[in-house]
Amino acid sequence: MDLKITTLAGKDAGKVTLSAEIFGLDPRDDILQRVVRWQLAKKQQGTHKAKGRAEIARTGAKMYKQKGTGRARHHSSRAPQFRGGGKAHGPVVRSHEHSLPKKVRALGLKHALSVKAKTSSLIVIDELALGEAKTKALIATFAKLGLTNALMIGGAELDANFKLAASNIPNIDVLPIQGINVYDILRRGTLVLSKAAVEALEERFK
């Protein structure tokens, strides 16, 4: 499939032929869901913690005598049924990460790219570079291109001025090609690829 290349100024810069094996797949929601779930699980901190009865700082003395009170035979006030006692089967610090085959992860990226291509939410820019880091000027440039919610993927090295100017614009993310991922592609309305990013993707999935 052929796609028009534009410059940041909105001028025509030729055409690029996108591989049907990367950008022309019929998107599968189940694969995208698996990859997004894997990403978010890996990202989750897992620092939630509740104290068990062994960790509660309370006296170890028996609450009251065993017999003669007419009450239940309790021993420790650290037991979960008492106010201030330990939590039974509470959350502990752990990793939520789980494994996902490399082939499924790679296929998920292809399907995410295909989603953007199929919904006409994919733009190819000649080069993501600026002469000076001016956020106001870049916002005006994005307005001309109709970009209000977008993920921008550059080459292996991002232009420092462009990255700095875009860093303070809401709903605009800028990543090098190494950082491209399914979750960020799907969470933004438009995917903007530089010419170098397209070439790197073609090389990666060759």
Side-chain angles (χ1 to χ4, degrees):
M1 58 182 291
D2 292 335
L3 201 67
K4 186 177 74 172
I5 301 175
T6 61
T7 63
L8 277 174
K11 296 178 181 177
D12 191 8
K15 286 187 176 182
V16 63
T17 302
L18 301 178
S19 171
E21 293 180 1
I22 303 173
F23 296 91
L25 300 177
D26 190 20
R28 279 180 52 183
D29 292 341
D30 59 324
I31 291 176
L32 293 173
Q33 188 269 348
R34 283 182 69 185
V35 179
V36 169
R37 181 174 171 271
W38 170 78
Q39 271 191 251
L40 294 181
K42 194 173 181 181
K43 188 179 178 183
Q44 192 170 343
Q45 284 186 321
T47 52
H48 39 21
K49 179 75 173 71
K51 287 185 177 181
R53 64 186 293 168
E55 300 167 298
I56 297 295
R58 270 189 171 183
T59 177
K62 189 170 173 65
M63 294 177 68
Y64 43 76
K65 65 182 183 176
Q66 179 83 347
K67 294 181 178 292
T69 64
R71 300 177 67 185
R73 297 170 292 184
H74 293 302
H75 165 243
S76 174
S77 58
R78 301 183 186 131
Q81 65 266 38
F82 296 116
R83 184 187 179 99
K87 175 73 175 174
H89 312 296
V92 294
V93 176
R94 68 184 180 91
S95 170
H96 291 268
E97 188 177 346
H98 60 268
S99 62
L100 190 68
K102 281 185 179 180
K103 287 184 179 179
V104 177
R105 281 143 51 185
L107 192 59
L109 183 55
K110 289 181 184 179
H111 279 263
L113 293 169
S114 296
V115 166
K116 293 302 179 185
K118 196 171 185 179
T119 57
S120 302
S121 303
L122 176 63
I123 298 175
V124 178
I125 300 277
D126 183 33
E127 190 180 11
L128 299 177
L130 294 174
E132 53 183 348
K134 295 288 185 182
T135 300
K136 191 174 181 180
L138 190 58
I139 290 173
T141 300
F142 287 165
K144 289 178 185 176
L145 294 171
L147 298 175
T148 55
N149 188 304
L151 170 65
M152 309 215 154
I153 305 293
E157 293 290 333
L158 288 175
D159 179 68
N161 288 337
F162 184 86
K163 185 180 178 182
L164 195 63
S167 63
N168 205 31
I169 303 177
N171 301 320
I172 298 291
D173 296 331
V174 181
L175 292 173
I177 187 61
Q178 304 94 305
I180 191 169
N181 65 87
V182 174
Y183 177 68
D184 281 329
I185 290 173
L186 296 179
R187 72 191 285 261
R188 293 298 176 206
T190 307
L191 175 62
V192 180
L193 297 175
S194 70
K195 198 174 175 183
V198 173
E199 291 170 358
L201 284 170
E202 298 272 358
E203 183 66 28
R204 175 174 174 177
F205 293 117
K206 187 181 288 184

